[in-house]
Amino acid sequence: MSVINVEGLTKEYLVHHKKPGLSGSVKALFHREYERKVAVKGLSFKINEGEFAGFIGPNGAGKSTTLKMLTGILTPSSGTADVIGCTPWKRSMVHRRQISIVMGNRSQLIWDLPPLETFGLNKEMYQIPKVDFDKDLTELSELLGVDHLLKVQTRKLSLGERMKMEIIGAVLHRPRVLFLDEPTIGLDLFAQRHTREFLKDYNKRYGSTILLTSHYLEDIKELCDRLLVIDKGQMLYDGQTNQIVNKLSLHKFITVSFKQRVSPERIVALGGTIVTEQLLKMVIRVPRNNVTRLAGEMLNMLPVEDLTIEDPSIEDVIENVYSGEGIKEGEAI
Ligand SMILES: Nc1ncnc2c1ncn2[C@@H]1O[C@H](COP(=O)(O)OP(=O)(O)OP(=O)(O)O)[C@@H](O)[C@H]1O
């Protein structure tokens, strides 16, 4: 059953253009010039209950804007969204009780209070029974290794410690849907791994639905079976994470060792591009649909000692997609 249904979601921002200098500031008082900026353009997708989906794209792709619409922080210009049966921007209490968002670049904890006190306020707001609150808080803070810091003023915590507290604050009321916007940004490798393990366990244990944006592909590869890739506000890929290489990569790599030197021109003449050449070993980039022919011709015509064919890594494919290389106009899914 899908718990997030998005149909034709679009968000336009009106951006004010001010001319430089004092005269520009004075003119802007009387006549403001605006430009329309389309941040999200007709996005449609569904996320099923319990899914852990990655939502990625290059800087400025529209990820945060989408999450802000799905959590009711922003109202879209057009389109519809349904999250657990509610329209997010109507901000009903039913919706707010069942969702949560963690934003890596924005604190939801009260800066001058210890996390314990912010959590206490959340307890009242979400009407969490005391027994559940005490049990969950002890368990979550121990799991994330921050139980000894609950009474320390938030402003005195390190970035990693604070992020862990933000996550605890977001899940204490056991939301059915959790939106995570860069939850591991700026964390050291150990804290990233710890946070990932926690989120994986949380998703399994409570069957909550999680939509995660992250620029760290390690987060996505380890946590998300499903992947949505957007750019310029539009969906480029929506499918299984481990299928993205098959679906979007236009090339494969052939690594070949020769018995004696082969001139690069012969490889180029066969339709390959040499990526690296070391003594008698070459790595060759080959268009996907030419791999079998090219490997066969090399084996027949050249002094080949050993030959392997490999797919590019997910990192390579995503880098190509971000640079517009791995996908052609009209091929976006
Ligand atoms: N309040 C705003 N007013 C005007 N334009 C905005 C506003 N917020 C975002 N934008 C623009 O909308 C586009 C999408 O921004 P958004 O923050 O959703 O991207 P993102 O995918 O989250 O990027 P990043 O990975 O850099 O965080 C960008 O071009 C951005 O400049």
Side-chain angles (χ1 to χ4, degrees):
M1 189 191 82
S2 59
V3 285
I4 302 179
N5 280 292
V6 173
E7 202 57 58
L9 204 62
T10 297
K11 179 70 190 177
E12 284 183 3
Y13 290 110
L14 272 186
V15 186
H16 165 222
H17 280 293
K18 184 184 89 58
K19 300 228 163 62
L22 182 63
S23 67
S25 302
V26 174
K27 273 187 198 147
L29 288 175
F30 301 100
H31 177 70
R32 292 194 151 223
E33 281 179 21
Y34 289 98
E35 187 200 341
R36 279 181 195 283
K37 162 102 210 179
V38 184
V40 174
K41 202 171 170 184
L43 217 52
S44 299
F45 61 89
K46 287 182 199 298
I47 306 280
N48 289 327
E49 178 122 53
E51 261 189 308
F52 201 142
F55 187 51
I56 65 168
N59 289 131
K63 305 177 295 291
S64 299
T65 303
T66 305
L67 293 200
K68 284 179 186 165
M69 289 190 279
L70 296 182
T71 48
I73 299 171
L74 284 177
T75 304
S77 311
S78 60
T80 60
D82 178 308
V83 178
I84 334 179
C86 303
T87 303
W89 44 94
K90 291 192 177 155
R91 299 184 63 77
S92 73
M93 202 54 203
V94 181
H95 176 256
R96 277 190 274 166
R97 275 217 186 115
Q98 299 199 70
I99 66 144
S100 217
I101 181 162
V102 174
M103 289 186 272
N105 57 5
R106 193 173 302 171
S107 178
Q108 295 183 80
L109 298 169
I110 301 170
W111 210 235
D112 290 316
L113 294 181
L116 186 61
E117 290 190 37
T118 308
F119 299 157
L121 292 174
N122 289 356
K123 169 179 166 290
E124 298 309 318
M125 196 164 71
Y126 292 114
Q127 296 167 0
I128 309 170
K130 187 174 179 328
V131 245
D132 294 347
F133 176 82
D134 291 345
K135 183 177 148 292
D136 285 359
L137 183 56
T138 308
E139 193 178 309
L140 293 167
S141 57
E142 279 176 10
L143 263 174
L144 283 166
V146 288
D147 45 323
H148 60 297
L149 298 169
L150 286 168
K151 293 181 183 161
V152 175
Q153 213 181 13
T154 296
R155 62 163 69 248
K156 293 185 181 148
L157 299 176
S158 77
L159 176 65
E161 291 161 353
R162 186 173 60 72
M163 277 317 299
K164 289 175 179 177
M165 295 296 186
E166 298 279 352
I167 292 172
I168 294 174
V171 300
L172 266 175
H173 62 286
R174 301 246 185 103
R176 273 174 69 196
V177 180
L178 184 57
F179 296 94
L180 301 168
D181 193 358
E182 302 278 351
T184 54
I185 196 164
L187 302 194
D188 67 41
L189 290 177
F190 177 74
Q192 280 179 34
R193 205 170 58 221
H194 203 176
T195 308
R196 279 201 288 269
E197 277 162 13
F198 172 81
L199 292 172
K200 196 190 261 183
D201 180 65
Y202 183 82
N203 165 254
K204 283 220 176 82
R205 201 189 291 199
Y206 296 108
S208 37
T209 309
I210 304 183
L211 191 59
L212 164 77
T213 84
S214 178
H215 286 295
Y216 296 122
L217 283 181
E218 251 347 277
D219 289 349
I220 304 295
K221 282 187 340 190
E222 203 175 305
L223 296 171
C224 309
D225 294 334
R226 162 106 175 268
L227 187 57
L228 299 103
V229 185
I230 64 164
D231 190 19
K232 300 186 184 77
Q234 288 179 293
M235 193 70 79
L236 292 184
Y237 177 78
D238 177 0
Q240 295 299 305
T241 305
N242 58 15
Q243 286 298 311
I244 191 168
V245 173
N246 285 341
K247 292 258 172 73
L248 295 189
S249 93
L250 304 176
H251 297 95
K252 285 200 180 211
F253 291 97
I254 298 182
T255 303
V256 57
S257 299
F258 296 110
K259 293 180 191 139
Q260 62 206 53
R261 189 167 186 282
V262 169
S263 79
E265 289 76 28
R266 294 191 71 184
I267 304 297
V268 175
L270 290 175
T273 307
I274 297 170
V275 181
T276 58
E277 185 184 3
Q278 266 180 338
L279 297 172
L280 299 176
K281 192 172 175 182
M282 285 182 192
V283 176
I284 304 161
R285 202 162 80 124
V286 185
R288 226 176 162 75
N289 50 2
N290 272 345
V291 171
T292 321
R293 176 193 59 78
L294 197 134
E297 286 179 0
M298 283 206 300
L299 286 167
N300 281 336
M301 296 157 57
L302 303 174
V304 172
E305 182 158 271
D306 188 34
L307 182 148
T308 52
I309 301 172
E310 277 171 312
D311 273 316
S313 63
I314 288 191
E315 282 82 352
D316 286 336
V317 173
I318 287 173
E319 198 182 309
N320 285 346
V321 170
Y322 283 8
S323 67
E325 212 184 280
I327 200 155
K328 293 188 204 119
E329 198 70 39
E331 278 186 352
I333 300 167

